[in-house]
Amino acid sequence: SQDAVAQLAAGVRAADGARLVTVSTGGLLPDDAANVYLGLFEVVDLSVVAPHFLRDAQWAGATGARVTTLAARLGEQGVSVPIYLQEEARRGYDGMNPPKEDFLLAVSQAYQAGAAGWVLHTDAGFDLTNTAFFDQLDAVEQDTIDELAAAAGP
């Protein structure tokens, strides 16, 4: 609930006033995410928004429009905060197995639309007890990271 979020945010701010505070949403389209966040901004001052947009077959190619729409809807109400994309799609989850090209398209569109960040969502890292993060990536995820690293340069 909004009250629970406000309580948690107040506790975080009391403990560390410089700490960034956010709330993630789940499985929403941009207009729905905007409505959720606008409601939250009535009770708490979020540092960033972290939407989990709807995971559908169009997720990668829709990334730029989703970021732009969310930013515009928030901006109409005077809210201007960074948008940090969360868990857009994950290989092997809910029947999805995005290829490298989808991940690269999504991160490119997120960047071009002005998103503050984008997460490569993966099963790797859920349990690091016996295996290192990079050793848990599948071939497509590793190839995606390698290409992104090469594009970023030294």
Side-chain angles (χ1 to χ4, degrees), residues 40-126:
L40 288 169
F41 275 105
E42 292 177 7
V43 297
V44 65
D45 182 27
L46 299 174
S47 310
V48 300
V49 295
H52 293 219
F53 289 130
L54 182 66
R55 294 176 181 153
D56 58 16
Q58 292 77 36
W59 74 276
T63 299
R66 289 174 173 184
V67 170
T68 301
T69 299
L70 177 57
R73 284 287 317 284
L74 295 175
E76 290 167 2
Q77 301 301 314
V79 175
S80 177
V81 295
I83 297 172
Y84 182 68
L85 298 178
Q86 300 291 304
E87 302 181 7
E88 298 301 297
R90 181 170 91 214
R91 291 181 50 74
Y93 179 81
D94 204 21
M96 296 183 77
N97 277 304
K100 172 182 74 171
E101 292 75 21
D102 281 3
F103 291 126
L104 297 176
L105 175 62
V107 75
S108 174
Q109 286 194 10
Y111 176 79
Q112 291 172 6
W118 177 86
V119 172
L120 172 63
H121 188 35
T122 175
D123 284 342
F126 285 150

Side-chain angles (χ1 to χ4, degrees), residues 2 25 28-42 70 73-74 77:
Q2 290 178 346
T25 62
L28 301 175
L29 290 171
D31 284 330
D32 299 323
N35 292 336
V36 169
Y37 281 117
L38 289 170
L40 288 169
F41 275 105
E42 292 177 7
L70 177 57
R73 284 287 317 284
L74 295 175
Q77 301 301 314

Side-chain angles (χ1 to χ4, degrees), residues 112-151:
Q112 291 172 6
W118 177 86
V119 172
L120 172 63
H121 188 35
T122 175
D123 284 342
F126 285 150
D127 182 357
L128 298 174
T129 307
N130 298 314
T131 309
F133 174 79
F134 283 101
D135 292 339
Q136 294 183 47
L137 295 172
D138 71 21
V140 170
E141 294 165 333
Q142 185 63 59
D143 199 22
T144 300
I145 288 175
D146 291 346
E147 190 156 333
L148 289 171

